[in-house]
mmCIF file of all heavy atoms in Angstrom:
data_model
loop_
_atom_site.group_PDB
_atom_site.id
_atom_site.type_symbol
_atom_site.label_atom_id
_atom_site.label_comp_id
_atom_site.label_asym_id
_atom_site.label_seq_id
_atom_site.Cartn_x
_atom_site.Cartn_y
_atom_site.Cartn_z
ATOM 1 N N TYR A 15 31.860 166.558 -79.625
ATOM 2 C CA TYR A 15 31.291 165.645 -80.620
ATOM 3 C C TYR A 15 31.711 166.023 -82.034
ATOM 4 O O TYR A 15 32.145 165.168 -82.823
ATOM 5 C CB TYR A 15 29.770 165.658 -80.482
ATOM 6 C CG TYR A 15 29.026 164.886 -81.546
ATOM 7 C CD1 TYR A 15 28.883 163.508 -81.470
ATOM 8 C CD2 TYR A 15 28.458 165.548 -82.638
ATOM 9 C CE1 TYR A 15 28.206 162.807 -82.440
ATOM 10 C CE2 TYR A 15 27.769 164.857 -83.613
ATOM 11 C CZ TYR A 15 27.643 163.489 -83.512
ATOM 12 O OH TYR A 15 26.972 162.794 -84.473
ATOM 13 N N HIS A 18 35.397 165.144 -82.771
ATOM 14 C CA HIS A 18 35.874 163.754 -82.750
ATOM 15 C C HIS A 18 34.970 162.745 -83.456
ATOM 16 O O HIS A 18 35.308 161.562 -83.492
ATOM 17 C CB HIS A 18 36.057 163.296 -81.297
ATOM 18 C CG HIS A 18 37.166 163.992 -80.583
ATOM 19 N ND1 HIS A 18 38.491 163.695 -80.779
ATOM 20 C CD2 HIS A 18 37.141 165.005 -79.680
ATOM 21 C CE1 HIS A 18 39.240 164.466 -80.019
ATOM 22 N NE2 HIS A 18 38.450 165.285 -79.351
ATOM 23 N N LYS A 19 33.852 163.176 -84.008
ATOM 24 C CA LYS A 19 32.919 162.194 -84.575
ATOM 25 C C LYS A 19 33.487 161.453 -85.780
ATOM 26 O O LYS A 19 33.000 160.373 -86.122
ATOM 27 C CB LYS A 19 31.600 162.867 -84.949
ATOM 28 C CG LYS A 19 31.689 163.904 -86.053
ATOM 29 C CD LYS A 19 30.315 164.502 -86.314
ATOM 30 C CE LYS A 19 30.356 165.546 -87.420
ATOM 31 N NZ LYS A 19 29.009 166.115 -87.657
ATOM 32 N N GLU A 20 34.519 162.006 -86.404
ATOM 33 C CA GLU A 20 35.151 161.315 -87.530
ATOM 34 C C GLU A 20 36.284 160.397 -87.081
ATOM 35 O O GLU A 20 36.797 159.622 -87.891
ATOM 36 C CB GLU A 20 35.690 162.342 -88.532
ATOM 37 C CG GLU A 20 34.632 163.280 -89.102
ATOM 38 C CD GLU A 20 33.555 162.537 -89.879
ATOM 39 O OE1 GLU A 20 33.862 161.456 -90.426
ATOM 40 O OE2 GLU A 20 32.415 163.032 -89.924
ATOM 41 N N ASP A 21 36.684 160.475 -85.817
ATOM 42 C CA ASP A 21 37.755 159.608 -85.321
ATOM 43 C C ASP A 21 37.261 158.174 -85.214
ATOM 44 O O ASP A 21 36.118 157.922 -84.821
ATOM 45 C CB ASP A 21 38.242 160.088 -83.950
ATOM 46 C CG ASP A 21 38.945 161.440 -84.035
ATOM 47 O OD1 ASP A 21 39.235 161.868 -85.168
ATOM 48 O OD2 ASP A 21 39.186 162.048 -82.977
ATOM 49 N N PHE A 24 36.074 157.003 -81.756
ATOM 50 C CA PHE A 24 34.815 157.617 -81.341
ATOM 51 C C PHE A 24 33.630 156.961 -82.039
ATOM 52 O O PHE A 24 32.638 156.594 -81.402
ATOM 53 C CB PHE A 24 34.873 159.115 -81.639
ATOM 54 C CG PHE A 24 33.781 159.912 -80.992
ATOM 55 C CD1 PHE A 24 33.948 160.419 -79.716
ATOM 56 C CD2 PHE A 24 32.591 160.174 -81.656
ATOM 57 C CE1 PHE A 24 32.943 161.170 -79.104
ATOM 58 C CE2 PHE A 24 31.582 160.907 -81.064
ATOM 59 C CZ PHE A 24 31.761 161.404 -79.786
ATOM 60 N N SER A 25 33.721 156.808 -83.352
ATOM 61 C CA SER A 25 32.612 156.210 -84.099
ATOM 62 C C SER A 25 32.449 154.734 -83.764
ATOM 63 O O SER A 25 31.328 154.216 -83.750
ATOM 64 C CB SER A 25 32.835 156.399 -85.606
ATOM 65 O OG SER A 25 34.020 155.746 -86.034
ATOM 66 N N GLU A 26 33.551 154.042 -83.481
ATOM 67 C CA GLU A 26 33.460 152.629 -83.115
ATOM 68 C C GLU A 26 32.624 152.435 -81.857
ATOM 69 O O GLU A 26 31.873 151.462 -81.731
ATOM 70 C CB GLU A 26 34.862 152.067 -82.890
ATOM 71 C CG GLU A 26 34.873 150.630 -82.394
ATOM 72 C CD GLU A 26 36.245 150.179 -81.934
ATOM 73 O OE1 GLU A 26 36.911 150.959 -81.211
ATOM 74 O OE2 GLU A 26 36.645 149.067 -82.298
ATOM 75 N N ARG A 27 32.721 153.383 -80.953
ATOM 76 C CA ARG A 27 32.058 153.247 -79.656
ATOM 77 C C ARG A 27 30.656 153.827 -79.628
ATOM 78 O O ARG A 27 29.790 153.316 -78.909
ATOM 79 C CB ARG A 27 32.911 153.929 -78.591
ATOM 80 C CG ARG A 27 32.430 153.736 -77.177
ATOM 81 C CD ARG A 27 33.538 154.006 -76.208
ATOM 82 N NE ARG A 27 33.166 153.733 -74.837
ATOM 83 C CZ ARG A 27 34.038 153.477 -73.865
ATOM 84 N NH1 ARG A 27 35.321 153.434 -74.141
ATOM 85 N NH2 ARG A 27 33.631 153.247 -72.642
ATOM 86 N N PHE A 28 30.408 154.883 -80.420
ATOM 87 C CA PHE A 28 29.143 155.606 -80.284
ATOM 88 C C PHE A 28 28.275 155.628 -81.532
ATOM 89 O O PHE A 28 27.069 155.886 -81.416
ATOM 90 C CB PHE A 28 29.419 157.052 -79.842
ATOM 91 C CG PHE A 28 30.189 157.143 -78.556
ATOM 92 C CD1 PHE A 28 31.429 157.782 -78.513
ATOM 93 C CD2 PHE A 28 29.701 156.580 -77.392
ATOM 94 C CE1 PHE A 28 32.140 157.869 -77.331
ATOM 95 C CE2 PHE A 28 30.410 156.659 -76.206
ATOM 96 C CZ PHE A 28 31.636 157.303 -76.175
ATOM 97 N N ASP A 29 28.829 155.404 -82.705
ATOM 98 C CA ASP A 29 28.008 155.382 -83.912
ATOM 99 C C ASP A 29 27.004 154.226 -83.820
ATOM 100 O O ASP A 29 27.391 153.091 -83.523
ATOM 101 C CB ASP A 29 28.885 155.219 -85.153
ATOM 102 C CG ASP A 29 28.076 155.278 -86.422
ATOM 103 O OD1 ASP A 29 27.531 154.220 -86.831
ATOM 104 O OD2 ASP A 29 27.979 156.353 -87.024
ATOM 105 N N PRO A 30 25.697 154.483 -84.055
ATOM 106 C CA PRO A 30 24.693 153.419 -83.868
ATOM 107 C C PRO A 30 24.971 152.146 -84.643
ATOM 108 O O PRO A 30 24.730 151.051 -84.136
ATOM 109 C CB PRO A 30 23.397 154.094 -84.345
ATOM 110 C CG PRO A 30 23.633 155.555 -84.160
ATOM 111 C CD PRO A 30 25.096 155.767 -84.426
ATOM 112 N N GLU A 31 25.472 152.269 -85.868
ATOM 113 C CA GLU A 31 25.737 151.081 -86.673
ATOM 114 C C GLU A 31 26.968 150.336 -86.172
ATOM 115 O O GLU A 31 26.930 149.124 -85.955
ATOM 116 C CB GLU A 31 25.907 151.479 -88.140
ATOM 117 C CG GLU A 31 24.647 152.037 -88.773
ATOM 118 C CD GLU A 31 23.502 151.036 -88.743
ATOM 119 O OE1 GLU A 31 23.767 149.825 -88.919
ATOM 120 O OE2 GLU A 31 22.355 151.456 -88.540
ATOM 121 N N ARG A 32 28.052 151.041 -85.982
ATOM 122 C CA ARG A 32 29.279 150.388 -85.527
ATOM 123 C C ARG A 32 29.175 149.940 -84.068
ATOM 124 O O ARG A 32 29.859 149.007 -83.654
ATOM 125 C CB ARG A 32 30.474 151.322 -85.700
ATOM 126 C CG ARG A 32 30.769 151.701 -87.143
ATOM 127 C CD ARG A 32 32.095 152.407 -87.244
ATOM 128 N NE ARG A 32 33.196 151.557 -86.830
ATOM 129 C CZ ARG A 32 34.451 151.963 -86.695
ATOM 130 N NH1 ARG A 32 34.747 153.223 -86.923
ATOM 131 N NH2 ARG A 32 35.400 151.130 -86.307
ATOM 132 N N ARG A 33 28.327 150.604 -83.299
ATOM 133 C CA ARG A 33 28.181 150.246 -81.893
ATOM 134 C C ARG A 33 27.618 148.832 -81.731
ATOM 135 O O ARG A 33 27.886 148.154 -80.736
ATOM 136 C CB ARG A 33 27.288 151.258 -81.186
ATOM 137 C CG ARG A 33 27.173 151.031 -79.678
ATOM 138 C CD ARG A 33 26.399 152.158 -79.011
ATOM 139 N NE ARG A 33 26.191 151.908 -77.595
ATOM 140 C CZ ARG A 33 27.093 152.133 -76.648
ATOM 141 N NH1 ARG A 33 28.275 152.645 -76.969
ATOM 142 N NH2 ARG A 33 26.822 151.893 -75.384
ATOM 143 N N LYS A 34 26.848 148.378 -82.703
ATOM 144 C CA LYS A 34 26.316 147.011 -82.636
ATOM 145 C C LYS A 34 27.450 145.993 -82.597
ATOM 146 O O LYS A 34 27.423 145.051 -81.795
ATOM 147 C CB LYS A 34 25.399 146.744 -83.834
ATOM 148 C CG LYS A 34 24.137 147.602 -83.850
ATOM 149 C CD LYS A 34 23.320 147.329 -85.096
ATOM 150 C CE LYS A 34 22.066 148.212 -85.129
ATOM 151 N NZ LYS A 34 21.275 147.996 -86.371
ATOM 152 N N LYS A 363 20.066 165.144 -76.497
ATOM 153 C CA LYS A 363 19.094 165.722 -77.423
ATOM 154 C C LYS A 363 17.834 164.873 -77.450
ATOM 155 O O LYS A 363 17.887 163.645 -77.346
ATOM 156 C CB LYS A 363 19.694 165.822 -78.837
ATOM 157 C CG LYS A 363 20.832 166.825 -78.947
ATOM 158 C CD LYS A 363 21.328 166.956 -80.378
ATOM 159 C CE LYS A 363 22.453 167.990 -80.485
ATOM 160 N NZ LYS A 363 22.944 168.122 -81.875
ATOM 161 N N LEU A 365 14.674 163.527 -79.571
ATOM 162 C CA LEU A 365 14.286 163.304 -80.961
ATOM 163 C C LEU A 365 13.029 164.093 -81.296
ATOM 164 O O LEU A 365 12.925 164.686 -82.380
ATOM 165 C CB LEU A 365 14.054 161.813 -81.209
ATOM 166 C CG LEU A 365 13.600 161.431 -82.620
ATOM 167 C CD1 LEU A 365 14.627 161.867 -83.652
ATOM 168 C CD2 LEU A 365 13.353 159.921 -82.714
ATOM 169 N N GLU A 368 13.991 167.834 -81.601
ATOM 170 C CA GLU A 368 14.790 168.093 -82.800
ATOM 171 C C GLU A 368 13.953 167.943 -84.062
ATOM 172 O O GLU A 368 14.148 168.682 -85.041
ATOM 173 C CB GLU A 368 15.989 167.135 -82.845
ATOM 174 C CG GLU A 368 16.983 167.324 -81.711
ATOM 175 C CD GLU A 368 17.604 168.705 -81.694
ATOM 176 O OE1 GLU A 368 17.885 169.242 -82.790
ATOM 177 O OE2 GLU A 368 17.806 169.253 -80.592
ATOM 178 N N THR A 369 12.990 167.012 -84.050
ATOM 179 C CA THR A 369 12.102 166.850 -85.200
ATOM 180 C C THR A 369 11.216 168.084 -85.369
ATOM 181 O O THR A 369 10.984 168.550 -86.495
ATOM 182 C CB THR A 369 11.233 165.592 -85.021
ATOM 183 O OG1 THR A 369 12.073 164.450 -84.899
ATOM 184 C CG2 THR A 369 10.311 165.401 -86.211
ATOM 185 N N VAL A 412 11.627 165.347 -92.774
ATOM 186 C CA VAL A 412 12.554 165.046 -91.676
ATOM 187 C C VAL A 412 13.681 164.189 -92.245
ATOM 188 O O VAL A 412 13.436 163.062 -92.688
ATOM 189 C CB VAL A 412 11.845 164.303 -90.530
ATOM 190 C CG1 VAL A 412 12.839 163.999 -89.418
ATOM 191 C CG2 VAL A 412 10.688 165.123 -90.000
ATOM 192 N N PRO A 413 14.895 164.677 -92.304
ATOM 193 C CA PRO A 413 16.004 163.908 -92.898
ATOM 194 C C PRO A 413 16.174 162.550 -92.210
ATOM 195 O O PRO A 413 16.037 162.425 -90.986
ATOM 196 C CB PRO A 413 17.222 164.811 -92.657
ATOM 197 C CG PRO A 413 16.669 166.177 -92.424
ATOM 198 C CD PRO A 413 15.332 165.978 -91.775
ATOM 199 N N GLU A 414 16.462 161.533 -93.011
ATOM 200 C CA GLU A 414 16.664 160.195 -92.457
ATOM 201 C C GLU A 414 17.885 160.144 -91.549
ATOM 202 O O GLU A 414 17.965 159.313 -90.636
ATOM 203 C CB GLU A 414 16.813 159.185 -93.596
ATOM 204 C CG GLU A 414 15.568 159.035 -94.456
ATOM 205 C CD GLU A 414 15.754 158.009 -95.555
ATOM 206 O OE1 GLU A 414 16.880 157.444 -95.635
ATOM 207 O OE2 GLU A 414 14.803 157.766 -96.327
ATOM 208 N N THR A 415 18.824 161.035 -91.794
ATOM 209 C CA THR A 415 20.046 161.032 -90.987
ATOM 210 C C THR A 415 19.845 161.650 -89.607
ATOM 211 O O THR A 415 20.718 161.533 -88.748
ATOM 212 C CB THR A 415 21.161 161.803 -91.719
ATOM 213 O OG1 THR A 415 20.711 163.153 -91.969
ATOM 214 C CG2 THR A 415 21.500 161.124 -93.045
ATOM 215 N N LEU A 416 18.697 162.318 -89.397
ATOM 216 C CA LEU A 416 18.482 163.005 -88.119
ATOM 217 C C LEU A 416 18.424 162.021 -86.963
ATOM 218 O O LEU A 416 19.033 162.236 -85.909
ATOM 219 C CB LEU A 416 17.196 163.831 -88.182
ATOM 220 C CG LEU A 416 16.849 164.607 -86.900
ATOM 221 C CD1 LEU A 416 17.916 165.653 -86.604
ATOM 222 C CD2 LEU A 416 15.471 165.269 -87.028
ATOM 223 N N VAL A 417 17.690 160.923 -87.148
ATOM 224 C CA VAL A 417 17.560 159.921 -86.082
ATOM 225 C C VAL A 417 18.920 159.333 -85.745
ATOM 226 O O VAL A 417 19.279 159.189 -84.570
ATOM 227 C CB VAL A 417 16.569 158.824 -86.491
ATOM 228 C CG1 VAL A 417 16.512 157.743 -85.409
ATOM 229 C CG2 VAL A 417 15.184 159.398 -86.729
ATOM 230 N N ARG A 418 19.689 159.005 -86.778
ATOM 231 C CA ARG A 418 21.023 158.436 -86.544
ATOM 232 C C ARG A 418 21.927 159.442 -85.843
ATOM 233 O O ARG A 418 22.663 159.088 -84.913
ATOM 234 C CB ARG A 418 21.648 158.021 -87.865
ATOM 235 C CG ARG A 418 23.094 157.553 -87.735
ATOM 236 C CD ARG A 418 23.746 157.330 -89.094
ATOM 237 N NE ARG A 418 25.171 157.067 -88.953
ATOM 238 C CZ ARG A 418 26.104 158.029 -88.826
ATOM 239 N NH1 ARG A 418 25.731 159.301 -88.804
ATOM 240 N NH2 ARG A 418 27.381 157.713 -88.700
ATOM 241 N N GLU A 419 21.860 160.707 -86.266
ATOM 242 C CA GLU A 419 22.720 161.726 -85.683
ATOM 243 C C GLU A 419 22.403 161.933 -84.199
ATOM 244 O O GLU A 419 23.312 162.054 -83.369
ATOM 245 C CB GLU A 419 22.553 163.048 -86.440
ATOM 246 C CG GLU A 419 23.575 164.109 -86.096
ATOM 247 C CD GLU A 419 24.940 163.822 -86.686
ATOM 248 O OE1 GLU A 419 25.042 162.920 -87.547
ATOM 249 O OE2 GLU A 419 25.909 164.506 -86.288
ATOM 250 N N ILE A 420 21.126 161.955 -83.861
ATOM 251 C CA ILE A 420 20.731 162.146 -82.458
ATOM 252 C C ILE A 420 21.127 160.940 -81.629
ATOM 253 O O ILE A 420 21.608 161.084 -80.499
ATOM 254 C CB ILE A 420 19.222 162.419 -82.366
ATOM 255 C CG1 ILE A 420 18.893 163.761 -83.007
ATOM 256 C CG2 ILE A 420 18.752 162.389 -80.912
ATOM 257 C CD1 ILE A 420 17.420 164.084 -83.047
ATOM 258 N N SER A 421 20.931 159.741 -82.176
ATOM 259 C CA SER A 421 21.333 158.531 -81.455
ATOM 260 C C SER A 421 22.843 158.508 -81.244
ATOM 261 O O SER A 421 23.326 158.135 -80.161
ATOM 262 C CB SER A 421 20.885 157.292 -82.232
ATOM 263 O OG SER A 421 21.295 156.111 -81.577
ATOM 264 N N PHE A 422 23.595 158.904 -82.256
ATOM 265 C CA PHE A 422 25.059 158.987 -82.175
ATOM 266 C C PHE A 422 25.467 159.945 -81.044
ATOM 267 O O PHE A 422 26.283 159.611 -80.181
ATOM 268 C CB PHE A 422 25.579 159.478 -83.528
ATOM 269 C CG PHE A 422 27.062 159.319 -83.740
ATOM 270 C CD1 PHE A 422 27.631 159.588 -84.980
ATOM 271 C CD2 PHE A 422 27.911 158.917 -82.719
ATOM 272 C CE1 PHE A 422 28.989 159.451 -85.200
ATOM 273 C CE2 PHE A 422 29.275 158.784 -82.919
ATOM 274 C CZ PHE A 422 29.810 159.059 -84.159
ATOM 275 N N PHE A 423 24.860 161.126 -81.047
ATOM 276 C CA PHE A 423 25.198 162.131 -80.046
ATOM 277 C C PHE A 423 24.820 161.671 -78.637
ATOM 278 O O PHE A 423 25.604 161.811 -77.686
ATOM 279 C CB PHE A 423 24.488 163.441 -80.381
ATOM 280 C CG PHE A 423 24.773 164.561 -79.431
ATOM 281 C CD1 PHE A 423 25.953 165.280 -79.516
ATOM 282 C CD2 PHE A 423 23.866 164.904 -78.440
ATOM 283 C CE1 PHE A 423 26.227 166.326 -78.638
ATOM 284 C CE2 PHE A 423 24.124 165.934 -77.557
ATOM 285 C CZ PHE A 423 25.307 166.648 -77.661
ATOM 286 N N ASN A 424 23.634 161.091 -78.477
ATOM 287 C CA ASN A 424 23.184 160.660 -77.154
ATOM 288 C C ASN A 424 23.996 159.485 -76.617
ATOM 289 O O ASN A 424 24.199 159.377 -75.402
ATOM 290 C CB ASN A 424 21.700 160.298 -77.202
ATOM 291 C CG ASN A 424 20.809 161.522 -77.293
ATOM 292 O OD1 ASN A 424 21.241 162.638 -76.998
ATOM 293 N ND2 ASN A 424 19.577 161.328 -77.701
ATOM 294 N N ASN A 425 24.455 158.612 -77.506
ATOM 295 C CA ASN A 425 25.339 157.532 -77.059
ATOM 296 C C ASN A 425 26.603 158.102 -76.423
ATOM 297 O O ASN A 425 27.104 157.581 -75.417
ATOM 298 C CB ASN A 425 25.718 156.632 -78.233
ATOM 299 C CG ASN A 425 24.589 155.717 -78.658
ATOM 300 O OD1 ASN A 425 23.657 155.464 -77.892
ATOM 301 N ND2 ASN A 425 24.650 155.232 -79.887
ATOM 302 N N PHE A 426 27.100 159.190 -77.014
ATOM 303 C CA PHE A 426 28.283 159.828 -76.450
ATOM 304 C C PHE A 426 27.974 160.523 -75.122
ATOM 305 O O PHE A 426 28.749 160.422 -74.162
ATOM 306 C CB PHE A 426 28.852 160.837 -77.452
ATOM 307 C CG PHE A 426 29.726 161.885 -76.834
ATOM 308 C CD1 PHE A 426 30.938 161.547 -76.246
ATOM 309 C CD2 PHE A 426 29.333 163.209 -76.815
ATOM 310 C CE1 PHE A 426 31.739 162.515 -75.658
ATOM 311 C CE2 PHE A 426 30.122 164.182 -76.233
ATOM 312 C CZ PHE A 426 31.328 163.827 -75.656
ATOM 313 N N ARG A 428 25.928 159.811 -72.824
ATOM 314 C CA ARG A 428 25.817 158.868 -71.698
ATOM 315 C C ARG A 428 27.174 158.567 -71.069
ATOM 316 O O ARG A 428 27.256 158.232 -69.899
ATOM 317 C CB ARG A 428 25.163 157.570 -72.169
ATOM 318 C CG ARG A 428 23.692 157.713 -72.545
ATOM 319 C CD ARG A 428 23.069 156.373 -72.895
ATOM 320 N NE ARG A 428 21.685 156.522 -73.287
ATOM 321 C CZ ARG A 428 21.271 156.651 -74.545
ATOM 322 N NH1 ARG A 428 22.159 156.647 -75.537
ATOM 323 N NH2 ARG A 428 19.985 156.785 -74.820
#
Side-chain angles (χ1 to χ4, degrees):
Y15 173 81
H18 292 283
K19 65 181 180 180
E20 301 298 332
D21 293 348
F24 193 88
S25 62
E26 175 191 45
R27 187 160 185 158
F28 303 120
D29 184 275
E31 294 300 323
R32 297 190 62 187
R33 185 174 176 81
K34 295 177 181 178
K363 293 184 179 180
L365 178 59
E368 296 299 322
T369 301
V412 180
E414 296 181 359
T415 58
L416 180 64
V417 176
R418 174 188 172 277
E419 191 74 12
I420 293 176
S421 178
F422 194 173
F423 181 79
N424 286 342
N425 285 340
F426 159 66
R428 292 185 182 94

